[in-house]
Amino acid sequence: MPSREAYEVHKGDKSLVQKAKREANQEEILAAALGMRIGPQKPPATIWQPLKLFAYSQLTSLVRRATLKENADGPVYEKVHNFKVHTFRGPHWCQHCANFMWGLMAQGLKCADCGLNVHKQCSAEVGDDCKPTLKHVRKVYSCDLTTLVKAHNTARPMVVDMCIREIESRGLKWRSTKDINIITGALKLYLRDLPVPIISYDAYPRFIEAAKIDEPEKKLEAIREAISLLAPSHSETLQYLMAHLHRVTLHQKDNLMNAENLAIIFGPTLMHAPDMDALQALRDVRYQRLVVEALIKKEDVLF
């Protein structure tokens, strides 16, 4: 019977052979993409490496364009790229036009969320098809909401789910629960640190106008229309949070948290305008409270 050491050596040799075969197949695929033939005399490594990078960029560009074409009529779940000027080390090709990036410094742009590399002039032609990855998105707090949920492939930010599950598992009466303020504080801090609030800047004016309507039915319809302006990740998170706050109000005799009190707490956290003078911001506080209060009370019919 062969010894364990002999088995390990044989297993190692087998893995090396398989790795060599995979590398050979990859080279053949790349050569086919370049229209080359690999015979007994292969290009030197110093020449092959740039060619391999170029082939990768060509194939990536083709796959990306084919994906965009296939998904043209599918459901839209868009996210803009977070492009930043980048200095690339070694030869690089644009993943949009597949042309070489010239220069020694700041040759192009790199998306901080998905790693897409493009020319500065090509960035305007790239669609809102960013697909963030955990390799590039490593933080939770202060991260764009859509970026986070797409990177983790979840419907809502995991910190929202975790905090709400923990709060509800400990009970919503709160009087007999220790350290509940730490958990609720963590949730509010996450919402407050979002670069774009849950009720996003572009939808903010519609929510404020809806709050000014006196007739209840028309107000609810206006709020429902404003919700439709939110990105899917924002509306999903808002719905989940409002359902939780509604359940909190069911125990208001114990926790002293009715819809109005919760709206006062969460109003400025969930919605605020990006550029507004202090006087206008002060005037909007009342309408922010009315919006969030309506969302809590009528969450079952608004979403």
Side-chain angles (χ1 to χ4, degrees):
M1 180 180 292
S3 65
R4 179 176 181 180
E5 289 78 10
Y7 172 75
E8 293 292 341
V9 172
H10 176 70
K11 183 179 179 181
D13 292 342
K14 186 176 181 181
S15 63
L16 289 174
V17 171
Q18 291 175 344
K19 181 179 180 182
K21 288 182 178 180
R22 286 198 301 269
E23 291 178 350
N25 290 336
Q26 289 177 353
E27 289 185 355
E28 290 177 3
I29 293 172
L30 293 169
L34 290 169
M36 296 172 53
R37 291 184 179 179
I38 297 181
Q41 296 181 351
K42 298 182 181 180
T46 55
I47 298 177
W48 174 251
Q49 186 64 22
L51 292 176
K52 185 163 65 173
L53 289 172
F54 174 69
Y56 276 135
S57 67
Q58 290 278 12
L59 292 173
T60 302
S61 181
L62 290 173
V63 170
R64 181 173 169 276
R65 292 178 183 179
T67 303
L68 288 175
K69 185 176 180 181
E70 289 176 1
N71 296 337
D73 300 326
V76 178
Y77 188 49
E78 297 181 342
K79 182 197 172 303
V80 298
H81 287 277
N82 184 17
F83 284 124
K84 298 183 183 299
V85 177
H86 190 78
T87 296
F88 297 95
R89 295 181 180 180
H92 271 77
W93 282 261
C94 174
Q95 291 178 263
H96 178 72
C97 69
N99 290 321
F100 186 73
M101 291 183 174
W102 298 97
L104 299 177
M105 297 181 64
Q107 304 99 320
L109 304 178
K110 184 183 185 73
C111 178
D113 297 334
C114 71
L116 183 70
N117 306 323
V118 296
H119 289 114
K120 294 178 182 178
Q121 63 271 23
C122 289
S123 62
E125 302 176 7
V126 176
D128 298 342
D129 60 339
C130 179
K131 297 176 178 59
T133 63
L134 295 179
K135 176 182 177 181
H136 299 91
V137 180
R138 299 182 179 181
K139 63 180 181 179
V140 175
Y141 280 67
S142 302
C143 179
D144 175 71
L145 194 152
T146 300
T147 299
L148 188 66
V149 300
K150 295 196 77 170
H152 288 269
N153 193 27
T154 56
R156 297 172 301 274
M158 59 181 179
V159 65
V160 175
D161 280 11
M162 292 171 65
C163 287
I164 289 179
R165 281 201 302 266
E166 186 64 23
I167 291 169
E168 297 193 354
S169 68
R170 296 188 182 203
L172 298 176
K173 295 183 179 181
W174 296 359
R175 286 188 176 181
S176 61
T177 305
K178 295 181 179 180
D179 300 329
I180 194 69
N181 290 336
I182 297 176
I183 304 171
T184 57
L187 176 60
K188 286 185 289 186
L189 179 61
Y190 170 77
L191 298 174
R192 187 166 56 248
D193 282 356
L194 285 173
V196 177
I198 296 292
I199 295 179
S200 52
Y201 298 132
D202 55 346
Y204 179 87
R206 295 288 293 273
F207 278 95
I208 295 297
E209 291 302 317
K212 296 178 181 179
I213 300 175
D214 295 326
E215 189 176 338
E217 288 301 322
K218 289 185 177 180
K219 177 183 288 189
L220 290 179
E221 184 59 32
I223 293 177
R224 191 179 292 110
E225 291 177 359
I227 292 174
S228 67
L229 300 177
L230 299 175
S233 57
H234 284 246
S235 61
E236 178 69 26
T237 305
L238 182 64
Q239 179 181 3
Y240 190 73
L241 179 62
M242 292 303 105
H244 163 67
L245 295 180
H246 179 75
R247 290 191 291 271
V248 171
T249 63
L250 299 179
H251 303 274
Q252 57 184 283
K253 290 183 180 179
D254 298 300
N255 56 39
L256 306 179
M257 285 290 138
N258 57 26
E260 183 178 358
N261 291 339
L262 290 170
I264 292 173
I265 295 171
F266 283 93
T269 302
L270 296 178
M271 57 187 303
H272 54 268
D275 300 311
M276 182 182 294
D277 59 83
L279 182 59
Q280 185 61 44
L282 187 61
R283 291 172 180 170
D284 280 1
V285 169
R286 174 173 176 265
Y287 299 113
Q288 292 171 1
R289 177 183 62 80
L290 292 175
V291 168
V292 177
E293 186 176 351
L295 289 171
I296 295 173
K297 290 181 175 179
K298 301 293 183 181
E299 58 86 18
D300 57 335
V301 296
L302 285 173
F303 295 94

